[in-house]
DNA sequence: TGCTATTGTGACAATGACGTGACGCTTATG
DNA sequence: CATAAGCGTCACGTCATTGTCACAATAGCA
């Protein structure tokens, strides 16, 4: 039934939080190792090579962000996804954390279910080969490194949300997604947004793609949307 | 008409709060059942199997947290998401509530809009869709993941009802079904539609499949229809 | 061959889902 | 501070889908 659990390193100075996370992850079939500070954590990373790290922002000693930076600088550990745990209202920290290389963040307090959901999403997204390689479909090219979309060598100007939407579609082609799934994957799990908002961004993306490529995004009536180069 | 809303159990000792929530949920298309204490609530959970529970923290008798723990301990009820209603400033309670298995919390006072939004988000996370395998019969392939029907790599365009009809047939081949059975299985149990409506959708499906595949759907005179790759 | 029950077929109005433009709000940018 | 850009929501228009009907076609049977 359950696959061999991925190893998750939890870094937090509060033992009760670690305990709660460990329980939640255990029930979801993950192996959990714990550290109370970044020094122990660093040793455990080298030692156990976990598949993912849950990292509290507020830590005594070296701050979480510094720890994240150090991991991302080392090729051996740069590929390990990091989810940052932040307290409510620390918006600035989130941005800094993401810039430091974190792959997602969760605001405390969070539910075990949400934790596992985000964790799954990040692990799913963390396909090593994918994230930085350009993707091209029938003359439409998305380059994550340049953070730019090109249509036959002509730049296409779109907003951040449309970019993430297109990136998700191009990395998950052929498959149909409901509005709810798109909100989860593109907007992030814990935002409360009307489902019809997806329609509007689909519209903006289609318009930006132009007649040349807008047929790539197909409406699946009664279900959601799909990205496919095949006609539909 | 057919959209039977999800059932939501509201547990709160103040009737006015329950009333307000019931109205808000009703307008959003949810069925709402109410309980004033955890004993009634527990009976209603067993009885009605709600899809989600809104649970006030401060309750006379068994506290909300105890109630939540009991539900999460029972396999039959452990999967029901719980949103806790807490008063402002009860930060400790929130953490305890989440540890007890609650999936989210809302701080009073809250707007109906926020309530519905959070509720949607939790329900969205709680209902992952199953990964179904594609089915193929003599060049006709139905892929539930792409939500698409292909005839020898050519997409076939059909409406949602025809899609569900075809999906049911392809997962229940070789057997004849009456119109009443098809209405049950494809339309859903408690909708009133004429039996002849099935004929019309069979017709539409056959037409969409084209001469290539329409013989797969066979008329069983006096009984109903059957999906089979064998002739006659 | 006729007769009747059953099914096929095209059309139609009502419904609902989706597309589309506009608006106000927030946040970046100068 | 002013301006611009991006975002989420709404209201309305448009079109696909749906259930129903009337009538034509067909199979089964006397």
């Amino acid at each position: 039934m359950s696959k061999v659990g991925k190893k998750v390193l939890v870094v937090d100075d509060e033992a009760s939080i670690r305990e709660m996370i460990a329980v939640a992850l255990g029930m979801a079939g993950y192996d959990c190792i714990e550290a109370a500070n970044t020094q122990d954590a660093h040793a455990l990373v080298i030692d156990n090579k976990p598949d993912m790290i849950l990292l509290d922002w507020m830590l005594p000693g070296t701050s979480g962000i510094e720890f994240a930076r150090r991991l991302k600088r080392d090729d051996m550990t740069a590929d390990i996804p990091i989810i940052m745990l932040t307290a409510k209202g620390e918006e600035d920290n989130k941005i800094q954390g993401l810039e430091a290389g974190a792959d997602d963040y969760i605001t405390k307090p969070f539910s075990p279910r949400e934790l596992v959901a985000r964790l799954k999403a990040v692990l799913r997204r963390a396909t090593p080969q994918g994230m930085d390689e350009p993707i091209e479909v029938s003359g439409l090219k998305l380059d994550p490194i340049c953070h730019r979309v090109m249509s036959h060598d002509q730049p296409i100007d779109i907003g951040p949300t449309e970019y993430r939407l297109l990136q998700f579609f191009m990395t998950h082609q052929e498959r149909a997604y409901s509005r709810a799934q798109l909100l989860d994957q593109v907007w992030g799990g814990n935002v409360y947004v009307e489902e019809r908002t997806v329609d509007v961004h689909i519209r903006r993306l289609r318009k930006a793609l132009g007649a040349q490529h807008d047929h790539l995004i197909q409406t699946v009536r009664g279900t959601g949307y799909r990205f496919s180069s095949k006609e539909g």
Side-chain angles (χ1 to χ4, degrees), chain A residues 7-18:
Chain A
K7 263 181 295 184
V8 180
L9 171 63
V10 180
V11 188
D12 197 308
D13 54 329
E14 289 183 56
S16 62
I17 302 279
R18 291 203 307 271

Side-chain angles (χ1 to χ4, degrees), chain A residues 61-145:
Chain A
T62 313
S63 78
I65 194 169
E66 193 52 45
F67 178 58
R69 280 220 187 84
R70 210 191 315 159
L71 290 180
K72 290 298 173 183
R73 222 179 293 134
D74 184 349
D75 282 344
M76 291 296 296
T77 55
D79 288 337
I80 305 175
I82 298 176
I83 295 183
M84 303 208 61
L85 310 175
T86 73
K88 193 176 180 183
E90 294 174 347
E91 296 295 331
D92 295 346
N93 293 349
K94 287 175 190 170
I95 297 173
Q96 287 179 34
L98 292 176
E99 283 175 353
D103 295 86
D104 200 356
Y105 63 86
I106 303 186
T107 303
K108 294 186 193 179
F110 50 83
S111 67
R113 189 190 294 265
E114 179 181 359
L115 176 69
V116 173
R118 305 285 285 262
L119 190 141
K120 273 186 193 167
V122 169
L123 277 179
R124 198 185 315 136
R125 224 178 304 157
T127 33
Q129 87 281 2
M131 236 24 200
D132 287 341
E133 294 299 317
I135 319 158
E136 180 160 7
V137 170
S138 62
L140 181 70
K141 182 159 61 175
L142 183 141
D143 190 334
I145 298 175

